[in-house]
Amino acid sequence: MLTGKTVLVGVTGGIAAYKAAELVSLLVREGTVVRVVMTAAATRFVAPLTFASLSGNPVACDLFAPAAGVHAHIDLAAAADLVVVAPATADFLAKAAAGLADDLLTTLLLACTRPVLLCPAMNTNMYRHPAVRENLARLARLGYHLMEPDAGRLACGTVGPGRLPEPARIVEHLAALCPRRDLAGYTVLVTAGATREPIDPVRFISNRSSGKMGFALARAALERGARVILVSGAAEVEPPPGVELVTVDTAEAMRSAVLSFAPECDLIVKAAAVADYRPARVADQKIKKDRERTLELVRNPDILQELGASKGNRVLVGFAAETENLLESARAKLTKKNLDLLVANDVSRADSGFGSDTNLVWLVFPEGPPQELPLMDKRLVAERILDEAAGILAGRRPTGSGLTGATDGHNH
Ligand code: CTP
């Protein structure tokens, strides 16, 4: 997967800098072109010559070094297919989170439009410090990919999270981020976030969906070359730039948007948490506390089921949020809604489902055994879902067409 790609490895000044040497050597063995950029502090731990010897390329350390050229930060960023910073120190994370550009590495990050993976490594107390947590949360919102450090005995003697993950795992993570173009020529519609069903002008019924899973799917589909329509309810995260964004409020509005775009779509992924019920009447004025106390509810249409009933050649992926009998309920939903894939989500755990950055899911198919994915970042879950969807789409492509454009028999 990484063969032939150019990976820029940023090394910052922490004790784990020595492990970056193994990372570079593994990447070179994968057939990757590796360019190493070191911060000044990193050179206090490992000599640039080590990385130059392992990568076979000169190591860049200085924004102002004349030998690197005046546009080194732009050129290095443009040449890279992927960037990884390992280890990423607390100081580096703070700078990147603030958008500072006071050395070569921080500057080229701002110029970079490719996926960037940050691998924090530091003392456990530093890693748990609210300032570091805030910086990590901001970096995630800015679109950086983050790898959790391993827990264990650290160089300083502390036991806890903060260790740089094994280089082989970093390589695996990078391979998963490597932009594939297997959705080029396809139109993908993703729904995300929570619908809001108004009760009166100030109140509504909604749910805890953050939009993170749906937005990760939209971003990943875009990176894989698709035209992406994102129909979003309320969400806590910024929509990825480059998608066609349609914001909606209620389940009815989501239904109209989805059904109007559906004929243009090859793949529809329904990650949104749609309210199953809405108030039968929406009060014109704010309801006073001494008035009504009973809320009459009526059923909302099941958008996914409607799509399944007139599916045509489209690939349909649904989600199921469950707190019990996960697989049994998932299978029933897959059949009832005529889906190609159902992503069953255990929302009873704190590290999975609503609001969290990670997800623990099963992929359930119409045939064959379900697949359990390990607990992983929602962006990697998105990639795995799209791997399966792209496989199904490729199987539906008329044989021998060999085309990738809009006229190759897709459902346009
Ligand atoms: N869904 C939808 N329209 C609805 C309700 C749900 O399109 N009115 C879609 C969701 O986007 C999701 C899937 O259906 O992809 C499953 O939703 P889930 O939360 O599991 O609930 P339900 O199918 O409504 O089933 P139940 O409430 O019985 O668990």
Side-chain angles (χ1 to χ4, degrees):
M1 189 78 73
L2 287 169
T3 313
K5 303 281 180 204
T6 298
V7 177
L8 191 144
V9 179
V11 185
T12 70
I15 180 58
Y18 80 93
K19 284 198 194 168
E22 192 190 339
L23 174 64
V24 169
S25 130
L26 284 178
L27 285 169
V28 169
R29 259 186 271 161
E30 291 265 327
T32 311
V33 178
V34 182
R35 302 299 310 260
V36 177
V37 174
M38 300 177 77
T39 62
T43 64
R44 307 284 289 265
F45 288 89
V46 183
L49 184 61
T50 305
F51 291 111
S53 310
L54 290 169
S55 68
N57 281 312
V59 170
C61 302
D62 187 357
L63 186 57
F64 302 106
V70 279
H71 298 131
H73 57 297
I74 313 286
D75 299 340
L76 283 163
D81 294 300
L82 289 167
V83 175
V84 54
V85 181
T89 59
D91 177 61
F92 167 80
L93 295 172
K95 283 183 187 170
L100 278 188
D102 65 350
D103 65 6
L104 181 56
L105 188 56
T106 47
T107 310
L108 76 80
L109 273 199
L110 294 185
C112 180
T113 56
R114 301 304 167 91
V116 178
L117 175 64
L118 306 177
C119 305
M122 65 199 73
N123 160 275
T124 301
N125 292 338
M126 291 172 75
Y127 184 64
R128 288 184 175 146
H129 194 285
V132 174
R133 309 304 310 165
E134 267 181 34
N135 287 334
L136 288 169
R138 180 167 162 76
L139 288 162
R141 282 201 304 277
L142 292 173
Y144 290 98
H145 300 268
L146 296 165
M147 208 168 162
E148 280 282 310
D150 281 349
R153 193 177 175 78
L154 308 183
C156 56
T158 321
V159 178
R163 249 183 18 196
L164 188 71
E166 284 312 309
R169 280 192 44 230
I170 301 178
V171 172
E172 260 172 41
H173 204 117
L174 277 173
L177 292 180
C178 204
R180 272 150 289 185
R181 305 291 292 174
D182 52 1
L183 291 178
Y186 290 115
T187 298
V188 177
L189 186 147
V190 179
T191 69
T195 63
R196 288 178 169 176
E197 310 300 330
I199 298 170
D200 67 15
V202 296
R203 304 179 180 98
F204 54 79
I205 300 173
S206 192
N207 58 67
R208 294 182 190 279
S209 172
S210 64
K212 284 180 185 168
M213 190 64 240
F215 283 26
L217 279 156
R219 183 189 293 273
L222 202 68
E223 282 176 2
R224 290 164 85 140
R227 169 191 171 209
V228 179
I229 302 160
L230 175 60
V231 179
S232 177
E236 291 167 13
V237 281
E238 287 296 309
V243 299
E244 293 167 39
L245 180 69
V246 183
T247 48
V248 294
D249 204 22
T250 61
E252 279 286 358
M254 181 169 281
R255 175 180 175 271
S256 311
V258 169
L259 295 185
S260 75
F261 284 109
E264 304 166 41
C265 297
D266 303 290
L267 165 65
I268 300 182
V269 187
K270 284 223 74 242
V274 185
D276 288 318
Y277 291 89
R278 66 175 185 276
R281 284 168 302 280
V282 181
D284 293 338
Q285 306 298 329
K286 184 180 167 218
I287 301 170
K288 293 289 181 190
K289 59 175 152 308
D290 54 359
R291 291 259 193 82
E292 295 185 44
R293 256 173 288 163
T294 313
L295 205 55
E296 193 192 327
L297 300 176
V298 291
R299 270 301 275 274
N300 266 331
D302 190 317
I303 309 165
L304 192 54
Q305 195 164 342
E306 250 180 276
L307 288 169
S310 56
K311 192 157 85 155
N313 211 22
R314 279 184 290 280
V315 174
L316 263 193
V317 179
F319 275 71
E322 306 290 352
T323 54
E324 57 186 353
N325 303 331
L326 184 82
L327 285 177
E328 214 175 295
S329 314
R331 280 207 193 89
K333 275 181 198 170
L334 179 106
T335 312
K336 188 168 118 198
K337 302 191 185 189
N338 192 19
L339 307 179
D340 298 281
L341 168 61
L342 189 124
V343 184
N345 202 329
D346 183 352
V347 291
S348 61
R349 295 170 50 128
D351 53 3
S352 178
F354 296 130
S356 77
D357 290 324
T358 49
N359 228 358
L360 187 72
V361 302
W362 286 81
L363 302 184
V364 186
F365 305 92
E367 280 156 31
Q371 232 185 74
E372 186 182 20
L373 302 186
L375 182 73
M376 51 188 181
D377 193 281
K378 283 185 174 168
R379 281 183 283 197
L380 289 182
V381 177
E383 296 291 354
R384 283 290 298 109
I385 294 168
L386 293 182
D387 286 348
E388 298 296 337
I392 302 169
L393 279 167
R396 289 196 184 166
R397 204 181 278 253
T399 44
S401 77
L403 298 173
T404 52
T407 53
D408 58 353
H410 297 168
N411 216 341
H412 288 279

